[in-house]
Amino acid sequence: MKNLKKTFENDTWVMPYLRKYKGLLVLVLFLGFMTFFSGGALMFNSGYLISEAARQPASIIYIYVPVVLARAFGIARPVFRYVERLTSHNWVLRIVSDFRKKLYQTVEQKASAIQRSHQTGDILSILADDIDHIENLYLRTVFPMVIGWLLYIFMVIGVGSLNWGVGLLMLLLLGIITIVMPLASVATNGVREFKQHQIQHTFYTNLTDEVLGLGDWLISGRYNDFINLQKKPIKSIAALRKRDHYFQWWRSFLVQIVILLTTLVLLVWSANQFTSSKSLANWVAAFALAIFPAVSPFVNMSQGASEWPVYKRSIERVNALDDGGVQPVEQTSLAEPFNQLSINNLTFKYADGNRNVVKNISMTIHPGEKVALLGPSGTGKSTFLKLVVGDLTPSDGQVLINQQNILSLQDVRSSLFGILDQQPYLFDTTVMNNVRLGNVNASDQQVKDAIAAVGLKDLIESLPDKYDTQVQEAGKRFSGGERQRLSLARILLQDAPIIILDEPTVSLDPITEKKLLDKVFELLHDKTIIWVTHHLAGIAHVDQVRFMENGQFDMQGTPQELYKTQPRFRQLYDLDRGRV
Amino acid sequence: MIDKRLFDLPGMKKYVVILGILVFIQAIAIIAQARALSIAIVNLWNLQSINTIIGPIIVFTVAFLARHLLTVAENHVLFPFVEKTSGDMREDLMAKIFRLGPAEIDKRGTGNIVTMALEGIDQVQTYLMLVVIKILDMSITPWLILLYVLFLRWEQAIFLFAIFPVIILFMIILGLAAQSKADRQYEGYQWLSNHFVDTLRGLPTLKQLGLSKRYADNVYEVSESYRKETMSTLRIALTSTFALDFFTTLSIAVVAVFLGFDLMDGKVMLLPALTILVLAPEYFLPIRNFANDYHATLNGKNAMSAVMDVLHEPEMSQREVLPDLKWNDDSTLKLNQVSLTYPGSKEPTLKDISIDVKGMHKIGIIGASGSGKSTLINLIGGFLSPDGQNQISINGQPLPHLNQANWQKNFLYIPQNPYLFHATLAANISFYVAGASEAAITSAADKAGLSDWIKTLPNGLNTMIGEGARTVSGGQAQRIALARAFLDPNRKVLLFDEPTAHLDIETEAGLKQDILPVFNNHLVFFATHRLHWIGEMDYVLVMDHGRLVEQGIPDQLAQRNGDYVKLRSEMEAADL
């Protein structure tokens, strides 16, 4: 219970939506209740019907009402069930739409425009799965449980009103299968689930590790090691699963024993209660026949409850996302065109880090200037870029555009910075739509012009669907160089004064790289460019080269200057173009 | 609707017989239970004393317990078989993956394979558990009950029997609806879930373009339109379930009403009538259970098909054609007019490649992207199989492909991103050499230029690296791969595939100094588009659109003014 409270303490994912769609929720529960009620009532009524008929009453009038009711309940049960299923699915899918939006917004707040790896994709898939889990929480646990309890209360009160002693017995007996056993299942299964999750996680990591390194396994010829590595986790999973199954079977059996006891209690009770007269005795069959359909919803309650630990983990994970919101800064915009980017004593340390990733960097960039930034991985280049665009808040110092702090310009950021990175993302839609993302108000002609400017006109127009060609998942319809060009077209439409190039050519071959860089600098000749690059191809395009080492600049100057005066630079440049 | 493959599983027949017997006994228990309950009720109805129902109640209790114990027993009987079958399937799958090699992983995606081996097999297990008993239940229980009802009163038996084809009809409609639902909705679902993940992954880009806030509504709208579409397909599936439900429930009501009339007319006694009424729901129960679980079993069915697909995938056989080999100065490798076409592709990726190599050389493979450099390296590594037979030979022995166990013992493959296992640094370095001494590992690490870095690690060589542990930069990863080469003097062939393309220039320059010594006394294949490596090679293969357009000694090629010279001039940067 304490656990349950803790899970929902700061919950913004389950409770608010229960409240938001209260009406539909009540309807679903009502329909669910009526389904089982009608099922029980059908048999109750039928039992009475044939008992009464067997007395061979003088007129058909005596069984007329039960006959009509039999048909009514016979029709009502499937109808209620049908409507209930439609309503509940609709309800859940509605919530899922809200969830997706909410998850998107939560992730959006934390996303950075400077992104190096796509590894986060896995985390995102996990989150998307979590949403599905919460969907199942309603369909498989919440609805059946609540409906079960409603029926439980109804039955106890119904029998209790005829005989409070038997009512009390029902309360206890049925309480075992509707309350005690689900709770026990949560407890046992919680521990087991946790263990199973851990083992599965190990298995999952091992397996991924093996599959990714398959080439090495194959060449090494270590077939037996490869197979044996999996044996242990497979065995432990199997053992756990076995215990889980046994537990389930015997739990179901226990539920049936409780049902048997309930049936016997009702039989004995009706033997005493209803055998005083013939007309009363007709009720015996009614009660006896109604028991099995009436208790049928209780059979799966424990199973639904035992899935709770899975849902709990999902709920906690999505709720954890909400933590650590960013301090809002009052936003403003620039009155005049961009005239200076100043970086003053910029220092940054990650909250969980112990060293400054960026150390006291200062520089000023004027419109039209082009700066290249080099350095080994891990020296703080991408952190530096994140600080420049305002995705991170500096520990010390500031980034100013026209003397305005960048942190207060976040709302107008896309009118200031255009970014071309390593793997610019193309969405799974048409070429036209993808390029138009640069400026959603651009006309078709403007989009086509931009595509022509980056040199893709002939290629796109040669495709059967031309500008309506689907780029497919992550843009895989096009090659790396083509994807970069499409993104460049997007940036042309965006028309921001400062362009950040974040290693855009890292996965391209030298010829494609050279052509792309020539294109970029040709089209963006009047823009201010900050270019992070991993080698020196195309370096002649810039006015300034800065080498970054441990969060600071060490070597800097124009490429020509550096080539003349710095042997280290000269050596690297010659290496880069293959003259050693 | 019923999966025939189930009964073809090895050993299944025996279990079907045992389970059939159990289900048969269970059906008798169900009838006994109904009969005893009816007797007790009729006795009470006749206002007989409570003592007269003790006997029937005992029979009822015993039959009831027997029925449910039999359910447990059926599960107990089947489970070991299911466990073994799915366990074997998992092991077969792993072994198959090993034999199929990295090319298969590329084709199906790492995530897919891992999910299949983990969740897929679990789903198969659930599927087998659910479906076998249900099918048997459906094919035995209703008919025994019907037989009994026939014995009690043939009119009702005929009615119950007549309703069955109607139910089957709706089961088929349900099956079809479920099929299209499974297909269409699964597709829709995949699409939506991809769209969602697609949007989340593209968030940085949306943020760059200042569209990220606005896109939230788009996410909602897409999800809502999916909801509407799902509901319309769901309606079909639910409607057929409804029809099924409707007919069974209404049948019970009709049976009750007709029995009522017959009772009034004195055509039947209460006891048989009541027994029929109690048995009527039991008659429909198996088929309803089957229909209810039908959707739940679809995943398992699909998972099983997916696993079967992989298991039936053709693999390269004849891996032992090459006799024991130790590459030395006199060894030869010949490729004679080798072509290679990827499955599903019309054009060959490699065309008529002929190479003749003897002993230790440093062979550079250059060409624009898409020219087939990596494919050639993969062919030499045996990850891909050539189109024709016996166009490759080692020491004169013709080979169908190079996926030869004895060839693989001779080389090391160093790709652009060498994979690092989630293990200690030492284990990663000694991956290819079982039981390497610590001194040997340290020395190899030192030669690969890792010493300085290792000193900064908390546990030195015993530091855990790889996924989820300490991250390793691209340059260090290359050095670890290099240390593997230094550690294993028996592997004389080195295959490099763009090892430095993605590294920053300074790291590349440093790494080059450490790579060069390993070239000595090795046969090296080095695919690259970084020009400076060419200077270190004594032989160059120039690739263009899958063809080997030029090959020879670099200096000679430089004078020839052919493809080599053309390629170099296109790649090279101008003077500053």
Side-chain angles (χ1 to χ4, degrees), chain A residues 90 132 203 209 216 568 577, chain B residues 118 189 227 432 506 575:
Chain A
N90 194 19
D132 293 346
F203 184 40
D209 206 40
D216 288 303
R568 182 171 138 221
R577 52 181 189 158
Chain B
L118 194 66
Y189 179 76
R227 174 176 69 86
Y432 286 85
E506 284 176 283
D575 287 329

Side-chain angles (χ1 to χ4, degrees), chain A residues 211-504:
Chain A
V211 170
L212 285 172
L214 190 59
D216 288 303
W217 283 105
L218 195 67
I219 300 167
S220 69
R222 293 169 57 187
Y223 175 78
N224 290 331
D225 292 341
F226 178 84
I227 296 294
N228 285 335
L229 203 61
Q230 296 305 347
K231 284 224 165 105
K232 207 179 139 232
I234 288 181
K235 240 192 199 143
S236 354
I237 289 183
L240 266 179
R241 198 139 284 209
K242 193 170 178 173
R243 240 176 294 157
D244 191 39
H245 275 293
Y246 283 24
F247 177 77
Q248 278 183 30
W249 302 335
W250 288 106
R251 186 183 58 198
S252 309
F253 184 69
L254 202 63
V255 170
Q256 293 298 340
I257 288 189
V258 175
I259 291 176
L260 175 71
L261 289 175
T262 315
T263 315
L264 293 180
V265 165
L266 283 176
L267 255 182
V268 172
W269 167 60
S270 46
N272 287 319
Q273 184 105 3
F274 299 124
T275 44
S276 53
S277 75
K278 282 190 172 181
S279 61
L280 265 182
N282 289 343
W283 296 105
V284 176
F287 276 99
L289 258 57
I291 297 169
F292 294 118
V295 296
S296 64
F298 303 152
V299 175
N300 292 322
M301 282 172 84
S302 297
Q303 185 52 36
S306 62
E307 286 170 17
W308 166 247
V310 180
Y311 303 140
K312 184 176 157 219
R313 200 172 27 241
S314 289
I315 294 174
E316 284 171 353
R317 194 157 34 211
V318 284
N319 271 319
L321 274 181
D322 297 342
D323 294 349
V326 205
Q327 290 280 327
V329 178
E330 203 182 321
Q331 295 297 308
T332 159
S333 60
L334 287 186
E336 67 293 326
F338 164 68
N339 61 42
Q340 182 173 296
L341 170 68
S342 9
I343 293 159
N344 301 333
N345 305 41
L346 201 60
T347 300
F348 183 79
K349 187 166 90 175
Y350 282 99
D352 53 356
N354 47 14
R355 64 187 180 94
N356 287 332
V357 185
V358 171
K359 292 175 198 154
N360 201 20
I361 287 183
S362 296
M363 72 189 288
T364 306
I365 302 175
H366 297 103
E369 277 184 347
K370 300 186 173 47
V371 186
L373 218 56
L374 277 106
S377 64
T379 46
K381 286 173 299 181
S382 52
T383 308
F384 174 72
L385 289 185
K386 283 182 191 174
L387 288 165
V388 169
V389 299
D391 274 339
L392 289 175
T393 307
S395 323
D396 203 7
Q398 66 222 127
V399 176
L400 303 174
I401 290 187
N402 300 359
Q403 302 310 315
Q404 276 294 349
N405 195 316
I406 185 65
L407 295 174
S408 67
L409 293 170
Q410 291 300 303
D411 282 354
V412 292
R413 193 170 86 182
S414 62
S415 67
L416 295 171
F417 293 103
I419 302 172
L420 189 64
D421 59 20
Q422 283 180 16
Q423 288 163 307
Y425 206 79
L426 295 184
F427 294 88
D428 192 2
T429 169
T430 62
V431 170
M432 186 63 112
N433 287 343
N434 261 298
V435 175
R436 206 199 303 270
L437 286 176
N439 175 4
V440 284
N441 298 319
S443 67
D444 281 6
Q445 195 50 49
Q446 283 171 306
V447 174
K448 285 178 186 171
D449 289 347
I451 291 173
V454 297
L456 286 179
K457 182 169 186 256
D458 292 344
L459 173 77
I460 304 283
E461 293 192 347
S462 72
L463 299 171
D465 292 328
K466 300 201 164 65
Y467 295 93
D468 292 327
T469 304
Q470 292 285 331
V471 304
Q472 296 172 1
E473 194 189 332
K476 67 179 170 212
R477 171 76 184 70
F478 295 100
S479 74
E482 288 158 3
R483 287 203 288 267
Q484 288 291 3
R485 278 168 191 256
L486 286 174
S487 315
L488 182 60
R490 211 144 65 177
I491 287 174
L492 290 181
L493 285 180
Q494 192 185 352
D495 198 28
I498 309 167
I499 306 294
I500 289 178
L501 304 176
D502 186 14
E503 302 200 350

Side-chain angles (χ1 to χ4, degrees), chain B residues 136-330:
Chain B
L136 285 173
D137 195 19
M138 194 170 65
S139 36
I140 296 175
T141 313
W143 311 112
L144 268 183
I145 292 176
L146 194 67
L147 209 65
Y148 185 70
V149 173
L150 183 70
F151 162 74
L152 289 174
R153 201 174 149 72
W154 62 270
E155 291 94 333
Q156 261 68 34
I158 286 183
F159 175 75
L160 288 177
F161 182 68
I163 205 83
F164 218 82
V166 180
I167 292 172
I168 294 293
L169 177 74
F170 279 101
M171 285 279 286
I172 291 168
I173 298 175
L174 172 69
L176 294 178
Q179 193 71 48
S180 75
K181 182 192 128 153
D183 295 351
R184 230 177 330 157
Q185 197 186 324
Y186 193 70
E187 249 168 51
Y189 179 76
Q190 277 312 74
W191 179 79
L192 175 75
S193 129
N194 285 346
H195 171 89
F196 186 54
V197 175
D198 184 53
T199 313
L200 288 180
R201 287 189 189 176
L203 248 176
T205 303
L206 289 174
K207 208 150 190 174
Q208 289 163 10
L209 299 168
L211 294 172
S212 54
K213 293 239 170 354
R214 215 187 303 174
Y215 225 70
D217 291 324
N218 177 287
V219 167
Y220 185 76
E221 276 160 29
V222 169
S223 188
E224 276 293 276
S225 70
Y226 163 75
R227 174 176 69 86
K228 282 170 196 143
E229 203 182 310
T230 311
M231 285 315 293
S232 70
T233 40
L234 210 56
R235 207 162 285 140
I236 302 170
L238 289 182
T239 307
S240 56
T241 326
F242 163 73
L244 183 74
D245 211 20
F246 182 79
F247 275 99
T248 54
T249 319
L250 200 62
S251 301
I252 296 169
V254 169
V255 166
V257 169
F258 278 105
L259 282 173
F261 288 133
D262 287 352
L263 281 163
M264 269 192 73
D265 298 344
K267 286 186 197 156
V268 63
M269 297 305 291
L270 181 59
L271 180 60
L274 195 62
T275 314
I276 293 173
L277 190 60
V278 174
L279 281 175
E282 303 282 7
Y283 172 72
F284 293 117
L285 191 64
I287 197 159
R288 269 166 61 160
N289 276 341
F290 185 81
N292 278 344
D293 279 339
Y294 188 69
H295 290 144
T297 57
L298 274 179
N299 282 339
K301 206 172 167 180
N302 291 340
M304 192 154 131
S305 304
V307 174
M308 292 290 184
D309 271 0
V310 175
L311 288 180
H312 291 140
E313 191 100 357
E315 53 188 89
M316 289 193 238
S317 51
Q318 300 181 287
R319 288 197 60 223
E320 310 291 336
V321 178
L322 185 68
D324 206 19
L325 171 78
K326 195 152 169 39
W327 190 267
N328 57 37
D329 288 333
D330 299 322

Side-chain angles (χ1 to χ4, degrees), chain B residues 451-527:
Chain B
S451 309
D452 290 344
W453 180 57
I454 292 173
K455 276 181 205 139
T456 69
L457 296 177
N459 296 320
L461 274 171
N462 293 319
T463 308
M464 290 295 284
I465 58 171
E467 183 69 28
R470 176 173 288 268
T471 49
V472 176
S473 72
Q476 308 295 21
Q478 287 295 347
R479 287 176 192 275
I480 292 169
L482 193 60
R484 287 175 182 166
F486 280 115
L487 184 62
D488 192 347
N490 293 320
R491 293 178 185 263
K492 287 294 182 198
V493 182
L494 301 175
L495 307 178
F496 289 92
D497 190 2
E498 294 285 13
T500 61
H502 63 301
L503 301 178
D504 69 277
I505 184 79
E506 284 176 283
T507 307
E508 185 180 19
L511 181 62
K512 189 179 176 189
Q513 296 317 309
D514 290 311
I515 290 186
L516 288 177
V518 86
F519 285 179
N520 296 327
N521 197 25
H522 276 89
L523 170 62
V524 178
F525 287 97
F526 200 106

